[in-house]
Amino acid sequence: MRAARLIKMVLLLQSRPMMTAAELAAELEVSERTVTRDAQALSEAGIPVYADRGRAGGYRLVGGYRTRLTGLGRSEAEALFLSGLPGALREMGLQDAASAARLKVSAALLPSLRDASSSVAQRFHLDAPGWYQEPVTPELLPAVAEAVWGDLVVQARYARRPDRAAERRLEPYGLVLKGGIWYVCARAEPGGFRVYRLDRFTAVTVTSAHFTRDETFDLPGFWASRAAEFARSILRTETELRISPTGVPGLLRVMDAAVTREALAAAGPPDAQGWVRITLPVESVEVALGQLLCLGPEVEVLAPKDLRSAVAEAARGLGRLYG
């Protein structure tokens, strides 16, 4: 809709000193000619959009013009409040700032939309930690969050193992909360981007040195790539399994879903009972034993021999226990 596009154009110009027609066209997904017509329409409506001509020219708002958030619809306002993570903000020491920001946004909304924050809070709640886990907030999280927001270099002591710690000079780019565990994505000096568990930092000093952020760094994309690499890197043992049709959904729940789907896709046709034979990478015999026992009689281990023997012994133990 043109009205929504005009509002977005005003907000874009409000957030930047100047934008070229090409930049606006790319953001709005229209032609530069459409940008020109939209700018003229805004000017005729009383919004002070000014066009600077020439190679270094572009569009800008004059006179310190600011628009109120009266263009927001109910669904947009509710989505805005839904994007906050109260628990995570509290752990990073940003609860007060977030509360003040929500109040300011509420004050700028139309009266009919000011209940958006409460209506969302009554309908949605994010509980990040997994079941049966007691979430623990790392003591050093607020300091690292401060460095992330301020693009400040940190001097940290990181212990990958309790008996082995090392000094790290890091440029912290972003924080990730995964399954109740906090991680920081940082560029090491020297070295590239890496992921560190915050609960393994034993000391953090936020320096006054600023680092220049790589504007091409994509935190969600980087995390997704590293998470996938990590999940595959720990799968060092290969198993041969027979799985029943009933057991397939359970296998997808207890094993790495992406790797399991690949194994199922590469499997041959089912046998007469509908069971399929797959080759599946697992972390270790010990880990796989606990995972496969969850499936009971819906899976048969064919190889390796030590895993098959371990499952058989567990089955015999259950038989003795239950008679």
Side-chain angles (χ1 to χ4, degrees), residues 67-137:
T67 181
R68 293 170 63 85
L69 297 177
T70 52
L72 285 176
R74 170 161 292 278
S75 61
E76 294 169 324
E78 289 176 342
L80 176 65
F81 287 109
L82 180 60
S83 65
L85 307 178
L89 292 170
R90 181 175 59 253
E91 292 176 5
M92 288 190 291
L94 298 173
Q95 184 179 22
D96 291 342
S99 176
R102 284 193 293 270
L103 286 173
K104 290 178 181 179
V105 172
S106 295
L109 291 172
L110 290 171
S112 60
L113 301 180
R114 287 177 186 166
D115 66 336
S117 61
S118 60
S119 68
V120 167
Q122 292 167 357
R123 289 168 174 81
F124 299 99
H125 172 67
L126 176 66
D127 184 9
W131 289 104
Y132 316 119
Q133 295 179 2
E134 185 67 29
V136 178
T137 303

Side-chain angles (χ1 to χ4, degrees), residues 243-319:
I243 184 78
S244 74
T246 305
V248 168
L251 191 66
L252 287 165
R253 285 195 300 271
V254 299
M255 298 294 194
D256 182 279
V259 173
T260 302
R261 288 193 185 95
E262 290 178 8
L264 290 168
D271 60 20
Q273 290 77 39
W275 290 50
V276 294
R277 182 169 178 160
I278 64 172
T279 300
L280 184 66
V282 296
E283 184 174 345
S284 66
V285 168
E286 294 76 17
V287 172
L289 175 62
Q291 293 169 324
L292 295 174
L293 285 177
C294 295
L295 303 178
E298 304 303 326
V299 64
E300 178 188 2
V301 178
L302 304 176
K305 289 184 178 180
D306 51 351
L307 178 57
R308 181 179 175 88
S309 298
V311 173
E313 178 57 35
R316 286 191 291 269
L318 287 170

Side-chain angles (χ1 to χ4, degrees), residues 25-255:
E27 290 279 0
L28 300 172
E29 299 180 348
V30 296
S31 67
E32 292 186 31
R33 179 170 294 183
T34 299
V35 169
T36 301
R37 289 198 297 266
D38 286 351
Q40 183 176 353
L42 288 171
S43 181
E44 292 173 354
I47 297 176
V49 178
Y50 182 79
D52 289 322
R53 306 297 180 184
R55 292 181 58 186
Y59 292 92
R60 59 187 174 89
L61 293 173
V62 297
Y65 179 84
R66 309 293 294 177
T67 181
R68 293 170 63 85
L69 297 177
T70 52
L72 285 176
R74 170 161 292 278
S75 61
E76 294 169 324
E78 289 176 342
L80 176 65
F81 287 109
L82 180 60
S83 65
L85 307 178
L89 292 170
R90 181 175 59 253
E91 292 176 5
M92 288 190 291
L94 298 173
Q95 184 179 22
D96 291 342
S99 176
R102 284 193 293 270
L103 286 173
K104 290 178 181 179
V105 172
S106 295
L109 291 172
L110 290 171
S112 60
L113 301 180
R114 287 177 186 166
D115 66 336
S117 61
S118 60
S119 68
V120 167
Q122 292 167 357
R123 289 168 174 81
F124 299 99
H125 172 67
L126 176 66
D127 184 9
W131 289 104
Y132 316 119
Q133 295 179 2
E134 185 67 29
V136 178
T137 303
E139 293 183 5
L140 299 173
L141 175 59
V144 176
E146 174 192 350
V148 169
W149 284 113
D151 294 341
L152 297 171
V153 174
V154 301
Q155 193 70 36
R157 188 166 180 80
Y158 187 73
R160 187 179 295 274
R161 288 168 31 186
D163 60 341
R164 184 178 300 175
E167 295 292 332
R168 295 281 190 273
R169 185 173 174 82
L170 303 175
E171 297 175 354
Y173 268 60
L175 288 163
V176 175
L177 178 61
K178 170 70 172 178
I181 299 175
W182 283 95
Y183 299 86
V184 59
C185 301
R187 183 164 56 188
E189 296 184 359
F193 288 100
R194 296 179 183 175
V195 176
Y196 301 88
R197 274 185 61 150
L198 265 176
D199 57 6
R200 293 180 181 168
F201 285 112
T202 59
V204 170
T205 300
V206 181
T207 72
S208 59
H210 288 263
F211 64 87
T212 302
R213 179 175 287 266
D214 181 353
E215 296 300 332
T216 64
F217 178 77
D218 173 22
L219 179 60
F222 172 78
W223 174 259
S225 173
R226 288 303 172 93
E229 289 176 11
F230 173 76
R232 291 178 181 274
S233 70
I234 62 175
L235 304 179
R236 302 186 181 94
T237 302
E238 201 167 75
T239 64
E240 295 286 336
L241 307 174
R242 283 183 69 243
I243 184 78
S244 74
T246 305
V248 168
L251 191 66
L252 287 165
R253 285 195 300 271
V254 299
M255 298 294 194

